[in-house]
Amino acid sequence: MIKASNIEKYYGELQVLKGVDLHIKKSEIVSIVGASGAGKTTLLQILGTLDVATNKTQSDLIINDISVTNLSDKALAKFRNEHIGFIFQFHQLLPEFTALENVCIPAFIKKTARKDAEKRAKELLDFLGLSHRYNHKPNELSGGEQQRVAVARALINNPAIIFADEPSGNLDSESADTLHQLFFDLRDKFGQTFVIVTHNDQLADLADRKLVMVDGLITSIAKTAVL
């Protein structure tokens, strides 16, 4: 599903990633943990094609059997829209749009017909317990509801992989627990692969594997209990 080799990243003189190798299987839930500054988010952004390795010509990133390293910007944007979903700590919903409209945006970018996009968005919002919130704007939703709308948006194009960066970091403990359970429910229902950067020990330990990063390298890989 994901194969990364020799991923390095520099910001000026600072080397943030020091030759990371990684292999993640289909339908696996993998957590990435480590202290602030260890390189977790930078790695996630490169794996998610939002950033590129500094040593682009000496590294490789294969997602869904496609080497994305040398794709043009246009081809990469299309690949990202069709194959990858993102969930961030702050939901990043557009405040002027309703929950339904926010969920549909990636589908509209993909040029999915409005009728089909809205039908799929409603199915996802229903699955996430938000059937009564279609027409509510973000400021009318609780934090947990906003994050579930963001999850639906990440799923609208049926991506193979979901990348999540501190997805429960801005939620209360009850909403966080609900979101964590949701990831496993989604994996079981839709077969998605999840790569999750988190400081939440409970979520990290629930994953199929926990990767520990220290100073720009993965230093240990722990098999954890599956929920």
Side-chain angles (χ1 to χ4, degrees), residues 117-171:
E118 290 184 349
K119 179 176 182 292
R120 173 62 175 160
K122 288 178 179 178
E123 289 173 352
L124 289 167
L125 289 169
D126 291 351
F127 177 78
L128 297 172
L130 294 171
S131 58
H132 59 305
R133 296 297 202 187
Y134 292 166
N135 298 314
H136 289 71
K137 293 184 177 180
N139 65 358
E140 299 173 308
L141 304 173
S142 69
E145 288 173 333
Q146 290 173 7
Q147 195 63 302
R148 278 183 280 156
V149 172
V151 170
R153 179 183 59 191
L155 293 168
I156 187 70
N157 287 338
N158 298 311
I161 304 161
I162 304 293
F163 291 101
D165 191 1
E166 297 289 357
S168 57
N170 201 38
L171 300 179

Side-chain angles (χ1 to χ4, degrees), residues 25-210:
K25 300 175 184 177
K26 178 177 171 54
S27 299
E28 191 174 24
I29 295 181
V30 174
S31 62
I32 303 177
V33 302
S36 296
K40 306 182 301 298
T41 293
T42 299
L43 177 61
L44 195 78
Q45 290 174 340
I46 291 175
L47 295 177
T49 73
L50 296 174
D51 200 354
V52 296
T54 302
N55 63 332
K56 183 177 177 180
T57 58
Q58 290 84 40
S59 63
D60 199 12
L61 176 59
I62 299 172
I63 302 175
N64 250 4
D65 298 321
I66 297 173
S67 178
V68 302
T69 307
N70 296 312
L71 292 179
S72 68
D73 289 346
K74 183 177 180 180
L76 188 60
K78 184 175 186 293
F79 177 88
R80 186 187 304 120
N81 175 254
E82 294 178 353
H83 294 268
I84 297 173
F86 296 96
I87 304 169
F88 303 101
Q89 177 175 353
F90 299 99
H91 49 76
Q92 307 291 354
L93 301 178
L94 297 177
E96 65 270 30
F97 294 121
T98 66
L100 183 65
E101 290 167 337
N102 267 284
V103 174
C104 286
I105 288 171
F108 293 156
I109 292 171
K110 191 180 177 182
K111 302 189 184 307
T112 301
R114 177 175 290 274
K115 179 181 177 181
D116 294 336
E118 290 184 349
K119 179 176 182 292
R120 173 62 175 160
K122 288 178 179 178
E123 289 173 352
L124 289 167
L125 289 169
D126 291 351
F127 177 78
L128 297 172
L130 294 171
S131 58
H132 59 305
R133 296 297 202 187
Y134 292 166
N135 298 314
H136 289 71
K137 293 184 177 180
N139 65 358
E140 299 173 308
L141 304 173
S142 69
E145 288 173 333
Q146 290 173 7
Q147 195 63 302
R148 278 183 280 156
V149 172
V151 170
R153 179 183 59 191
L155 293 168
I156 187 70
N157 287 338
N158 298 311
I161 304 161
I162 304 293
F163 291 101
D165 191 1
E166 297 289 357
S168 57
N170 201 38
L171 300 179
D172 60 70
S173 58
E174 182 178 354
S175 297
D177 289 343
T178 299
L179 183 66
H180 299 166
Q181 178 62 52
L182 177 61
F183 291 151
F184 289 87
D185 293 343
L186 290 169
R187 188 268 300 273
D188 294 342
K189 183 175 178 65
F190 300 114
Q192 266 99 6
T193 302
F194 283 82
V195 183
I196 306 169
V197 164
T198 184
H199 282 105
N200 186 296
D201 292 335
Q202 181 184 18
L203 174 57
D205 290 339
L206 288 172
D208 299 325
R209 284 191 298 152
K210 180 170 67 174

